[in-house]
Amino acid sequence: MSAISVGQAVVLGVVEGVTEFLPVSSTGHLKIAEGLMDIPVDDSSVVGFSAVIQAGAIAAVLVYFFKDIVRIVSAWFRGLTDREQRHHHDYKFAWWVIYATIPIVVVGLAAKPLIDGPLGSLWVVAGSLIAGSAVMWCADQMGRHKRGEDDTSFKDAMLVGTSQILALLFPGFSRSGATMSTALILDLDRVAATRLSFFLGIPALTGAGLYELKDALGAGVGAAPLAAGTVVSFAVAYASIAWLLKFVARHSFNAFVLYRIAVGVLLFGLLGTGVLDA
């Protein structure tokens, strides 16, 4: 019997799609939803399922930013054979994304036992939600929002890409929250910070999904729940991306900060009263 039913997979797909690119922690919300549905959050197949359905959210990014991705990848291939093309920002940016993904891959592989074990506790999620909120608020206040996407540099990409490690080690911190906060501290405007977070997330999240696929299928999650969760995740994530880009163009991140604090406090309460098992 599958560790996750199709109905549960649909619910988790909605949660993943809504929260993957919003700076509120998709991992944290998935763990909370799994706990409320009595799904063991530390089961290897459940951990794998959570990583695999991210493929739907990643597919949404690929579709939404298809023209940008084609432009960047085309510039990268042209630059491999034409030295003149290597001065183009898109060629450089493609390499920056590759380089910026290396730190999270190294840490992810080295720290996997901790990530799948004690760091996956809902207590860690609750604390990380609140701690990440403080970082996000400070970053939004400190940032001067004066640099656009064309002003990004290798240093920006490496610092923002490396910040993804925070979300890897402390589920609840939020990958999007960590990357956007770092970009804001580097004085990128909110739209540029959000788009950079999207592009840097593509290789990291795709790699995580492919790596965890064997655990999800081989340890108790059926193909039907995986397919259902992934498809729903794609549809919801696409709408979420479109909404977020419009939102950050006109608003600060304060609404996300307040929401994260509320969820963190609520989670501490549920854990403290025994309603949820860490």
Side-chain angles (χ1 to χ4, degrees), residues 200-220:
L200 287 173
I202 292 173
L205 295 176
T206 301
L210 293 174
Y211 183 82
E212 297 286 359
L213 181 60
K214 65 181 186 306
D215 290 334
L217 288 174

Side-chain angles (χ1 to χ4, degrees), residues 170-206:
F170 305 105
F173 201 97
S174 169
R175 189 202 64 81
S176 295
T179 52
M180 291 178 190
S181 296
T182 303
L184 290 174
I185 292 172
L186 294 170
D187 293 330
L188 269 69
D189 63 48
R190 294 186 184 98
V191 174
T194 303
R195 285 174 59 88
L196 182 59
S197 174
F198 286 148
F199 289 126
L200 287 173
I202 292 173
L205 295 176
T206 301

Side-chain angles (χ1 to χ4, degrees), residues 75-90:
W76 184 71
F77 276 111
R78 288 197 302 271
L80 292 178
T81 56
D82 186 347
R83 188 179 297 272
E84 292 297 321
Q85 294 293 325
R86 296 174 189 174
H87 299 290
H88 198 286
H89 184 270
D90 286 338

